[in-house]
Amino acid sequence: MYSFGDSSVTRRLIAHLDMDAFYASVELLRYPELRGLPVVIGGGRRHQPETLPDGTRRFFRLRDYTGRGVITTSTYEARALGVFSAMGTMKAAQLAPDAILLPVDFDEYRRYSRLFKAAVREIAPLVEDRGIDEIYIDLTELPGALADGGRAIGQRLKDAVREATGLSCSVGITPNKLLSKLCSELDKPDGLTLLDFEDIPARIWPLAARKVNGIGPKASERLAALGLHTVGDIAAAEPAFLVQHFGANYGRWLHEISHGRDEREVVTHSEPVSISRETTFERDLHAVRDRNTLSGIFTELCIELAGDLARKGYASKTIGIKLRFDDFKSVTRDLTLPAHTMDARAIRRAAGECLKRVDLSRRLRLLGVRAGALARLSDLVAPLPPAPEPSPPRAAEPEGRYGLPLFDLHPAD
């Protein structure tokens, strides 16, 4: 593979395309009057805008928010006020009380995700899907792409995305995935950044070490304690020093990435490890006093998870749950089934068994259900038939519908 300082090997051209403030940008298409304003995405159904008799809309302001929610994303105007994704909504309200709060609409975001990815594949079919709003693209074999370092094809991709969705994206084009992901962030929003290996000292080395995907908060703290704050600091360190402090594998990896070396291929298809559904409550719920509410939410999550499995063509042999309590501590439990399933009732029953192994004396702020040990239906010798379309869950599900109590207060055995 092409490596730093070695021009004798075949060069690759890899793009990383990242949609700009994706969820917020989709909402601005729906509410164009909010353009240029600080807007936060992360509300619930009660934060839906109200249409007034004169046709105008009344929006919910952050200053009026009460609850335990978390920000999903925000517009660049809100970010300028210090409001970022994963921030508690109450904290965001202190920083930007006049910001608009909109509910999350994942169905709409997924629709726009499919649109922009289809537009890209029409031009460059070798695409690695990395999430709802980002992809890698191998441009190496596209005619003329190498001639100008990818500038023309990069602009063509950006134009195609805007035409298909009305949204902007930022694209980084370099010889590998590592550098392209870094570059797609350099000139946001609506950026097109090209970089070659000789540009690394000027554009990559000044970046904070934490900007590199794979250097998390703990590693960043350890690097800072050693006086290594930027990518350039890591590049200047002796490989033996990095290995001494971070171990052989991670130490060598730090040395390689600091010099822009990355041999990973663009993977056009990969099997998911698991599929999950979860929800964070507007207020903390108690297993006894809010039993009916929790029961309805729990059943709905299982039904949605079964629908995800059916739509994607998978069955699961391991069902798990995830709980987060009011003290922010999380627990998970899993149960392996005798056979793969995609049936909502079987998922609900197995998840209920997992719940029996958790002490539910504390209030809950998050509940999730996960399907693991996946197998494609086409690969199973005798795949289970799809479950019949379930009727919408009732908020107060009759106890024992699946032969199990939903929430009890027996601690784990």
Side-chain angles (χ1 to χ4, degrees), residues 3 69 73 90 94 121 147 156 164 186 251 259 270 331 354:
S3 60
T73 191
M90 292 296 288
Q94 295 174 358
R121 286 190 172 95
R156 188 179 167 197
L186 291 180
H259 290 282
S270 61
V331 299
C354 292

Side-chain angles (χ1 to χ4, degrees), residues 219-382:
S220 182
E221 289 178 7
R222 291 178 61 195
L223 286 165
L226 296 170
L228 308 179
H229 301 279
T230 67
V231 178
D233 292 337
I234 300 173
E238 289 293 330
F241 176 82
L242 296 173
V243 169
Q244 175 189 351
H245 289 279
F246 294 94
N249 291 334
Y250 196 70
R252 282 195 294 266
W253 178 81
L254 286 171
H255 175 72
E256 291 294 303
I257 59 96
S258 68
H259 290 282
R261 301 177 186 134
D262 178 17
E263 297 186 358
R264 293 173 299 158
E265 302 287 342
V266 169
V267 180
T268 58
H269 177 74
S270 61
E271 298 290 343
V273 176
S274 64
I275 298 173
S276 61
R277 284 275 185 163
E278 64 181 44
T279 186
T280 300
F281 309 130
E282 290 289 334
R283 63 179 179 86
D284 297 338
L285 300 178
H286 193 275
V288 174
R289 290 186 287 276
D290 300 297
R291 178 178 178 137
N292 286 342
T293 299
L294 281 166
S295 181
I297 294 171
F298 190 54
T299 298
E300 184 176 2
L301 288 172
C302 293
I303 290 172
E304 291 173 346
L305 181 58
D308 292 341
L309 287 168
R311 186 172 59 256
K312 297 178 181 181
Y314 288 96
S316 169
K317 199 174 182 182
T318 299
I319 302 299
I321 60 167
K322 175 183 176 182
L323 304 173
R324 183 168 296 139
F325 297 99
D326 55 3
D327 60 357
F328 285 86
K329 291 184 179 179
S330 299
V331 299
T332 59
R333 296 290 186 271
D334 295 299
L335 178 66
T336 299
L337 304 174
H340 286 82
T341 186
M342 52 185 284
D343 176 70
R345 292 175 63 86
I347 292 171
R348 171 61 168 73
R349 188 180 298 112
E353 289 281 8
C354 292
L355 276 174
K356 295 174 69 176
R357 294 154 48 201
V358 181
D359 181 351
L360 295 169
S361 55
R362 294 196 68 94
R363 287 182 173 272
L364 293 162
R365 70 185 318 269
L366 177 145
L367 176 62
V369 184
R370 184 181 68 89
L374 302 179
R376 284 194 170 274
L377 295 179
S378 57
D379 294 337
L380 296 175
V381 175

Side-chain angles (χ1 to χ4, degrees), residues 12-33:
R12 295 184 299 166
L13 198 63
I14 307 298
H16 181 259
L17 186 152
D18 191 19
M19 301 299 291
D20 296 324
F22 183 50
Y23 298 170
S25 298
V26 171
E27 295 296 344
L28 292 181
L29 291 178
R30 181 158 34 194
Y31 307 115
E33 64 266 41

Side-chain angles (χ1 to χ4, degrees), residues 39-59:
V39 178
V40 169
I41 313 300
R45 293 175 184 174
R46 64 190 175 95
H47 305 116
Q48 193 72 33
E50 177 188 358
T51 301
L52 303 177
D54 63 358
T56 61
R57 286 182 279 246
R58 178 187 294 141
F59 295 94

